[in-house]
Amino acid sequence: MTGTDNPRRRRVAIALQGGGSHGAFTWGVIDRLLLEQSLEIVGISGTSAGAMNAAVLADGLRRGGAAAAREALEHYWADVGRLPGLAAMPSPAILGASHVWHLDNNPFYLWADMLTRIWSPYQTNPFNINPLRKLLERIDFDGLRTDADAARVFICATNVRTGLRRVFGNAELSLDVLLASACLPHLYQAVEIGGESYWDGGYTGNPALAPLFLRTSATDVIVVGINPLVRPNIPKTARDIINRIDEISFNSTFMMELAAIAFVEDMVKSGIAQNRFRPLFVHGIGDDALAGFGASSKMNNDPGFLRHLHAIGWQAADSWLEENLDDVGSQSTIDLSGLVPPDDGPVMGPSIIKPMHAGHTGVSHED
């Protein structure tokens, strides 16, 4: 249960971005937030790695509250670290080099990356093997689908045929929904659900914010950001250009939804729509260190790296709580005003993704 009988707890929703192994940073953030007894997580939106964290978290909360959720996430990420991975393959080419977490110089990674640009997963993975499938079988999807007291979960996937976003709510949660949300099309075959094929949800919602506003009782949403919005330097190499294109495309719909929330917030503050919309206070937790690890590190499931990311996430959440906990339920702690079109100037952008310390039953839809 989620503890909805305690009126003193502030109801929050969390929005979890995708980003491969960098999802371990999100694990650290959640691990710390679950220790804060004044907060109650009533809604979770997630995409890709964020979807995995969302489902494991919601299942743990339903089974036994915060303690069970923390244990479930610990076990899940420990098992992710045990999966065969590129980082576990030693290479004479990098022996003696200083230790780094990215895989840019790992020949196995470079070889695999080259293959994905020549052959599709229908050729390289004809049996459609996904190592995450076994790890996700531990989740009680039936319980999440039928328990009205469970946290509301919203998982994004992208319809391959229409190009539209599909948001799966509690009523339709399944193992395939999670795999669809994390289905990078150059690595895995599209996941079929209800006669439609789906790819990674990051292309159309990383993550979806609207359901947290429309379909939960949360007063606040905490965005856990792991994909950098801003890069200080212009990419010059082919790999860096491709990585930056991916970052921009994975953040575009997220920024559009933030702009919509900013617009509503502006109308409420101005008195135009005080009786039509409820306020939703927005917060963000992130860390610049994630951008410094490099895009290829998202494929690195080395247990030491995952623990390192967890520690960074824990510290980021701890610092955020120390500075901003009193504002939960009363005001946003990130400035979205730059997303509201001014009368005489261009739209700028939010001061959201800096170092960011620095109910209704689930209904699926396409939009």
Side-chain angles (χ1 to χ4, degrees):
M1 298 296 181
T2 59
T4 55
D5 58 339
N6 187 341
R8 294 175 297 177
R9 303 180 74 190
R10 285 166 280 184
R11 294 183 170 188
V12 301
I14 56 176
L16 311 178
Q17 287 194 327
S21 294
H22 289 192
F25 170 87
T26 302
W27 162 38
V29 171
I30 297 170
D31 204 21
R32 177 61 186 91
L33 292 179
L34 287 170
L35 291 178
E36 188 52 55
Q37 297 184 7
S38 66
L39 301 180
E40 177 189 359
I41 298 173
V42 298
I44 315 161
S45 176
T47 295
S48 198
M52 311 303 170
N53 279 322
V56 174
L57 168 61
D59 183 48
L61 288 173
R62 195 190 72 83
R63 291 174 184 267
R70 294 184 66 215
E71 183 178 6
L73 285 164
E74 168 87 22
H75 288 166
Y76 172 77
W77 282 101
D79 286 345
V80 169
R82 295 187 186 101
L83 293 174
L86 295 170
M89 301 179 182
S91 167
I94 58 174
L95 288 179
S98 59
H99 183 74
V100 294
W101 293 120
H102 67 74
L103 303 175
D104 291 353
N105 301 316
N106 185 308
F108 293 99
Y109 171 78
L110 296 174
W111 175 73
D113 184 61
M114 180 188 67
L115 287 183
T116 64
R117 302 178 193 281
I118 300 174
W119 292 300
S120 83
Y122 294 87
Q123 298 167 304
T124 59
N125 187 10
F127 298 105
N128 202 22
I129 298 171
N130 190 323
L132 291 178
R133 180 175 291 276
K134 188 68 175 178
L135 271 58
L136 297 172
E137 290 177 351
R138 69 192 69 193
I139 297 173
D140 181 7
F141 290 103
D142 184 61
L144 291 175
R145 287 191 294 262
T146 59
D147 189 346
D149 291 329
R152 298 298 90 189
V153 181
F154 306 97
I155 304 298
C156 277
T158 301
N159 187 308
V160 179
R161 185 179 59 84
T162 67
L164 295 176
R165 178 172 75 183
R166 175 71 178 270
V167 180
F168 294 90
N170 289 59
E172 292 185 306
L173 290 181
S174 68
L175 194 155
D176 280 339
V177 165
L178 297 186
L179 294 181
S181 184
C183 181
L184 290 170
H186 60 284
L187 294 179
Y188 299 109
Q189 298 179 25
V191 178
E192 185 173 326
I193 302 172
E196 293 284 358
S197 296
Y198 293 94
W199 281 340
D200 195 295
Y203 297 109
T204 50
N206 191 27
L209 300 180
L212 300 176
F213 178 75
L214 298 171
R215 301 179 179 182
T216 77
S217 59
T219 60
D220 301 69
V221 58
I222 302 171
V223 179
V224 182
I226 57 178
N227 284 311
L229 290 177
V230 178
R231 288 281 186 181
N233 301 315
I234 302 299
K236 299 293 181 64
T237 68
R239 181 187 300 144
D240 287 345
I241 291 171
I242 291 171
N243 291 337
R244 187 56 183 153
I245 290 172
D246 287 343
E247 287 176 349
I248 292 171
S249 64
F250 270 56
N251 281 325
S252 59
T253 52
F254 169 65
M255 293 299 294
M256 290 174 63
E257 288 195 87
L258 277 181
I261 291 175
F263 182 66
V264 171
E265 183 180 79
D266 185 65
M267 289 196 300
V268 171
K269 286 181 178 179
S270 66
I272 297 175
Q274 280 185 326
N275 298 322
R276 296 186 60 189
F277 299 101
R278 67 182 180 91
L280 181 68
F281 305 116
V282 184
H283 315 275
I285 300 176
D287 197 290
D288 279 344
L290 295 178
F293 290 129
S296 65
S297 67
K298 294 178 180 180
M299 302 296 292
N300 183 357
N301 68 321
D302 181 279
F305 183 46
L306 301 181
R307 283 287 177 186
H308 184 53
L309 290 169
H310 172 276
I312 296 173
W314 172 286
Q315 184 56 54
D318 189 65
S319 298
W320 181 85
L321 286 167
E322 182 178 353
E323 296 179 14
N324 301 291
L325 181 59
D326 290 342
D327 292 320
V328 175
S330 60
Q331 65 179 0
S332 297
T333 56
I334 56 176
D335 181 13
L336 298 179
S337 60
L339 291 172
V340 180
D343 294 334
D344 56 354
V347 177
M348 301 301 290
S351 60
I352 170 178
I353 311 294
K354 55 183 179 178
M356 283 192 273
H357 85 276
H360 189 289
T361 56
V363 179
S364 62
H365 63 283
E366 287 187 350
D367 52 11

